[in-house]
Amino acid sequence: MATSQISRNLRDGELVISDGSTPPLTLTVVLDEGDLTWTQRQRTIEVKDRGSIAAGHLRKGDDESVQLSFTARWTQLIGKSAHEADALQLYETLMFASGTGVTSTSGAGQQETLTFVFTVVDPAGVAGETITFSKVYRETLTLSEGDDANLIAFSGRAFTTAPIVSRI
Amino acid sequence: MLSLEAIVTSVSRQAAAELPEGLAIAWPGRQLDTESIGEWSELWCDDALGVVQREHSPERREITVTAHVFVRPSNQTTRVHELAEAARRAFHDRTISIVEPGDDDGAIVGVIRFREADVRDLTRLHAEVERRPLHHLVVMVRGTAQETL
């Protein structure tokens, strides 16, 4: 059985962002704070029988997309969009900046989306996992100054009911 | 991977380049006979603390550097302040390169970004425990050492 009892923590994670190009452009987020958070919601309709739960029942509600967020430290905001030879930077990737070549994973005319792949390695080396969020779109991007480091805070949604979790 | 040796050597190089030429300096791990000299400095790398971070991220360490400046009383009453200011300027808000000591090519493996430096005067405290009068100022600065991306 390829399972391990060692709890994972932020040291074990790695977030990679990829776009819709063939082959995809990828960016490993190397300076993230290790605070990736996502929430999978399930909507349920409670049907009560004349106010009674005991005689009532539950029905499935509408699908709900996955909410996710993470924070990363700044180095520079733009690289490839300023100079083609420079490395792609996080901010310009999330913003689909002109000159970066970052392409949406959704079709033309739709909201721009990316794929987030979060890998959590097993410290015991037997049961690493990847968590793939498809069709991730940006809701807010908050940039803030700080004493130790300036931060980029991403908040958005994956247009799927749950990420795909698979064994490495 | 940032080695402690590389961090301490890089800090020492910065002090050597910025402190007044000819000033006797007790480098980390070295002793200095101060009986016959009127002024000297001691450089300490007090700590290099690990930072909680992802394993694949460039390694970071929080470091503290302390420079002690000692001057025996003379007609130059502000000499101790002059030396302390030189030590403060050597590190205050400065970014220095980290180079592996044994690397002849001098490849940069990281940088240390220092924050604001603090200066304290311990002369009065010193007078309570030492028989010979001595001006003693301490410059302390914290910074972040980060492996080059």
Side-chain angles (χ1 to χ4, degrees):
Chain A
M1 292 272 285
T3 58
S4 99
Q5 299 301 316
I6 304 170
S7 62
R8 299 352 179 214
N9 60 42
L10 68 87
R11 294 168 188 84
D12 306 317
E14 181 182 67
L15 179 62
V16 175
I17 298 173
S18 59
D19 78 342
S21 310
T22 309
L25 282 173
T26 61
L27 176 85
T28 302
V29 185
V30 289
L31 292 175
D32 56 330
E33 293 283 84
D35 62 350
L36 177 72
T37 304
W38 74 88
T39 306
Q40 301 166 208
R41 287 192 62 192
Q42 177 178 257
R43 296 183 84 91
T44 303
I45 300 165
E46 294 182 348
V47 182
K48 295 172 187 164
D49 186 352
R50 284 167 288 178
S52 166
I53 286 179
H57 66 278
L58 298 173
R59 285 171 47 200
K60 288 187 175 181
D62 287 349
D63 284 350
E64 185 82 14
S65 57
V66 177
Q67 196 169 30
L68 75 165
S69 64
F70 72 90
T71 310
R73 293 163 166 251
W74 282 20
T75 47
Q76 57 276 315
L77 296 180
I78 56 171
K80 199 173 180 184
S81 62
H83 194 280
E84 197 179 352
D86 288 355
L88 192 61
Q89 301 297 315
L90 176 63
Y91 175 81
E92 62 187 358
T93 303
L94 296 172
M95 292 296 292
F96 293 86
S98 173
T100 57
V102 177
T103 310
S104 174
T105 56
S106 295
Q110 298 178 33
Q111 180 58 280
E112 292 171 318
T113 56
L114 294 163
T115 300
F116 285 13
V117 179
F118 185 51
T119 302
V120 182
V121 296
D122 177 3
V126 294
E129 293 168 325
T130 59
I131 300 109
T132 303
F133 302 89
S134 54
K135 292 193 173 181
V136 176
Y137 62 91
R138 186 182 73 245
E139 286 189 314
T140 62
L141 202 56
T142 306
L143 290 90
S144 55
E145 284 190 305
D147 173 17
D148 185 31
N150 290 356
L151 298 173
I152 300 173
F154 172 90
S155 176
R157 285 179 175 271
F159 194 53
T160 175
T161 54
I164 297 168
V165 181
S166 57
R167 178 77 56 80
I168 296 172
Chain B
M1 185 79 178
L2 293 175
S3 74
L4 197 56
E5 187 188 3
I7 292 172
V8 173
T9 304
S10 302
V11 167
S12 300
R13 279 186 183 149
Q14 175 70 4
E18 297 283 333
L19 289 175
E21 208 175 329
L23 177 69
I25 301 173
W27 301 107
R30 297 275 181 86
Q31 284 193 327
L32 189 67
D33 182 3
T34 58
E35 279 303 309
S36 58
I37 52 179
E39 60 184 39
W40 70 96
S41 177
E42 285 179 21
L43 188 72
W44 300 356
C45 273
D46 301 85
D47 48 46
L49 306 175
V51 174
V52 176
Q53 61 178 134
R54 294 209 191 281
E55 293 225 339
H56 75 273
S57 293
E59 186 183 12
R60 294 202 311 273
R61 290 192 186 192
E62 287 297 315
I63 69 165
T64 307
V65 172
T66 306
H68 293 258
V69 177
F70 301 94
V71 175
R72 298 204 188 282
S74 69
N75 291 335
Q76 280 186 281
T77 54
T78 59
R79 178 60 178 165
V80 70
H81 302 101
E82 197 179 303
L83 293 177
E85 182 61 17
R88 192 188 74 84
R89 285 187 183 165
F91 296 106
H92 174 90
D93 202 21
R94 299 288 287 267
T95 301
I96 67 170
S97 301
I98 302 173
V99 179
E100 282 294 343
D103 186 354
D104 294 336
D105 297 334
I108 294 169
V109 295
V111 293
I112 304 172
R113 177 152 190 201
F114 288 103
R115 297 191 279 272
E116 296 81 1
D118 298 319
V119 183
R120 291 196 191 91
D121 190 339
L122 299 186
T123 302
R124 188 180 293 274
L125 192 67
H126 203 94
E128 290 172 2
V129 293
E130 293 289 332
R131 280 174 298 171
R132 293 180 70 182
L134 192 63
H135 295 297
H136 179 189
L137 262 63
V138 180
V139 177
M140 190 177 78
V141 60
R142 293 187 178 84
T144 303
Q146 182 178 305
E147 200 176 3
T148 305
L149 285 170

